[in-house]
Amino acid sequence: MTKPKLKLYLAAPRGFCAGVDRAIKIVEMAIEKWGAPVYVRHEIVHNKFVVDGLRDKGAVFVESLEDCPSDRPVIFSAHGVPKAVPAAAQARQMVFVDATCPLVSKVHIEAERHYQSGLQMVMIGHAGHPETVGTMGQLPDGEVLLVETADDVATLQVRDPERLAYITQTTLSVDDTAGIVAALKARFPTIVCPHKEDICYATTNRQAAVKAIAPQIDALLVIGAPNSSNSKRLVEVGRAAGCDYAQLVQRATDIDWRALDGVGTVGITAGASAPEVLVNEVIDAFHDRYDFETEIVETAQENVEFKVPRVLRAPA
């Protein structure tokens, strides 16, 4: 039987970013140094395949520090944690390793600096997301106000409209965030902006690559987890850039093949916490069903690398 013809556009960059790569390495090195089990507070990154793989190696994932025994090491996820968490670990004399992405830590430092200067913070982010919770938890209650949309800006109750700064979650839609920033600047003209864009390079690059392929494709598949903020943003960016059908899939088994009936071009990308092995799995699934050619659309090259904490590089 003749397979239907198809063209696949592979977005680049896609998949793992430096912060995710570092976080996974931290868990693996901790298991190697201290043996299993090693406890991880929250999923180290938002990807079931990655989490299951680390669990098989000896990682135990918990949602609270209280679920960790005091005599085993604990790792804090790449999304960051409120200040109270490492303080509680120290109080219990626990060995802990902070796997917070350095670009998230940069936002934490920025918030602290503004707070010390007497500014109240406005955070653009998603309520309940671990990164937002961790960033807001760097400062006392009431010092960080959360906005999720431009409409939220109109109802914002601030202490002093002349003494404000804003920060953002690192995994937001670049375009959506620009609209919220514009609303903030319109209402609070003196608001202090980040020294450098808070949305991380990996989020920005992956969204730019999707924008480049979206006008050329009939359908977009984003490989990523349903609780991955940056992956969900890629779906939204694809639709906004002209691709009406965009689907988030965790693995090849999640693809809705009936929805792809009759399409001639498909784009593939992956969120920053999705490994390339899952991209290859999806491509193999297309190989079983289609006669296709592949084109890589590269909009940026990445060579960022973050060191793991010194405690893991030192002998046990």
Side-chain angles (χ1 to χ4, degrees), residues 239-290:
R239 288 174 184 155
C243 180
D244 292 335
Y245 181 81
Q247 181 188 5
L248 182 68
V249 296
Q250 295 200 71
R251 304 198 61 164
T253 49
D254 298 324
I255 297 172
D256 182 356
W257 296 105
R258 287 175 300 177
L260 300 181
D261 274 352
V263 304
T265 52
V266 174
I268 295 175
T269 189
S273 48
E276 187 67 8
V277 63
L278 298 185
V279 176
N280 293 333
E281 180 184 275
V282 167
I283 293 171
D284 287 344
F286 273 94
H287 191 269
D288 292 340
R289 293 167 173 80
Y290 293 92

Side-chain angles (χ1 to χ4, degrees), residues 17 31 36 44 55 64 68 100 144 165 182 195 199 204 211 225 230 234 290 296 302 316:
C17 63
I31 294 169
I44 188 68
R55 188 180 283 117
S64 170
C68 305
T100 301
V144 188
H195 178 64
I199 296 176
T204 303
K211 287 178 185 177
N230 76 87
L234 290 175
Y290 293 92
I296 297 171
E302 297 176 350

Side-chain angles (χ1 to χ4, degrees), residues 33-51:
K33 178 168 183 169
W34 291 299
V38 164
Y39 285 75
V40 184
R41 185 187 178 278
H42 192 67
E43 291 184 349
I44 188 68
V45 297
H46 285 158
N47 187 274
K48 185 179 185 299
F49 180 85
V50 171
V51 168

Side-chain angles (χ1 to χ4, degrees), residues 9 11 13-15 206 210 213 220-223 234 267-271 279:
Y9 288 88
R14 62 177 180 272
R206 278 147 193 72
V210 165
I213 64 173
L220 173 69
L221 297 183
V222 177
I223 302 162
L234 290 175
I268 295 175
T269 189
V279 176

Side-chain angles (χ1 to χ4, degrees), residues 1-306:
M1 184 172 142
T2 306
K3 296 177 183 176
K5 289 192 178 296
L6 184 75
K7 184 160 185 179
L8 283 185
Y9 288 88
L10 299 183
R14 62 177 180 272
F16 276 2
C17 63
V20 164
D21 204 39
R22 172 182 180 267
I24 294 167
K25 201 177 293 181
I26 284 172
V27 178
E28 291 172 339
M29 290 177 72
I31 294 169
E32 192 176 317
K33 178 168 183 169
W34 291 299
V38 164
Y39 285 75
V40 184
R41 185 187 178 278
H42 192 67
E43 291 184 349
I44 188 68
V45 297
H46 285 158
N47 187 274
K48 185 179 185 299
F49 180 85
V50 171
V51 168
D52 287 348
L54 292 173
R55 188 180 283 117
D56 290 344
K57 293 179 180 179
V60 177
F61 293 89
V62 297
E63 285 304 311
S64 170
L65 195 66
E66 294 170 2
D67 298 325
C68 305
S70 298
D71 61 349
R72 294 306 304 163
V74 60
I75 296 164
F76 305 143
S77 82
H79 310 98
V81 294
K83 269 188 178 176
V85 176
Q90 282 181 320
R92 290 174 60 189
Q93 298 183 310
M94 300 174 75
V95 172
F96 64 90
V97 184
D98 190 354
T100 301
C101 172
L103 298 179
V104 174
S105 296
K106 176 186 82 70
V107 179
H108 292 180
I109 293 165
E110 189 176 21
E112 180 70 38
R113 191 180 72 246
H114 288 318
Y115 171 66
Q116 295 299 336
S117 300
L119 302 182
Q120 189 178 27
M121 223 64 48
V122 178
M123 178 165 190
I124 304 170
H126 295 294
H129 188 277
E131 184 186 331
T132 299
V133 172
T135 300
M136 294 182 71
Q138 299 305 301
L139 301 181
D141 287 349
E143 291 301 323
V144 188
L145 306 174
L146 181 67
V147 295
E148 297 187 84
T149 66
D151 289 342
D152 291 342
V153 175
T155 57
L156 205 55
Q157 299 293 314
V158 303
R159 187 168 56 231
D160 181 352
E162 301 296 319
R163 303 287 294 161
L164 291 174
Y166 78 82
I167 52 177
T168 81
Q169 190 177 320
T170 62
T171 54
L172 301 177
S173 160
V174 173
D175 295 335
D176 289 350
T177 304
I180 300 170
V181 169
L184 281 170
K185 289 180 177 178
R187 187 172 172 206
F188 308 110
T190 61
I191 195 166
V192 177
C193 307
H195 178 64
K196 191 169 182 260
E197 181 62 64
D198 285 344
I199 296 176
C200 80
Y201 77 94
T203 297
T204 303
N205 288 348
R206 278 147 193 72
Q207 289 180 19
V210 165
K211 287 178 185 177
I213 64 173
Q216 307 175 65
I217 56 179
D218 301 318
L220 173 69
L221 297 183
V222 177
I223 302 162
N227 59 341
S228 165
S229 174
N230 76 87
S231 299
K232 290 194 289 186
R233 301 296 80 76
L234 290 175
V235 173
E236 295 167 2
V237 167
R239 288 174 184 155
C243 180
D244 292 335
Y245 181 81
Q247 181 188 5
L248 182 68
V249 296
Q250 295 200 71
R251 304 198 61 164
T253 49
D254 298 324
I255 297 172
D256 182 356
W257 296 105
R258 287 175 300 177
L260 300 181
D261 274 352
V263 304
T265 52
V266 174
I268 295 175
T269 189
S273 48
E276 187 67 8
V277 63
L278 298 185
V279 176
N280 293 333
E281 180 184 275
V282 167
I283 293 171
D284 287 344
F286 273 94
H287 191 269
D288 292 340
R289 293 167 173 80
Y290 293 92
D291 175 15
F292 66 86
E293 59 175 308
T294 303
E295 181 177 333
I296 297 171
V297 179
E298 184 175 64
T299 55
Q301 292 190 335
E302 297 176 350
N303 54 8
V304 179
E305 190 174 340
F306 297 131

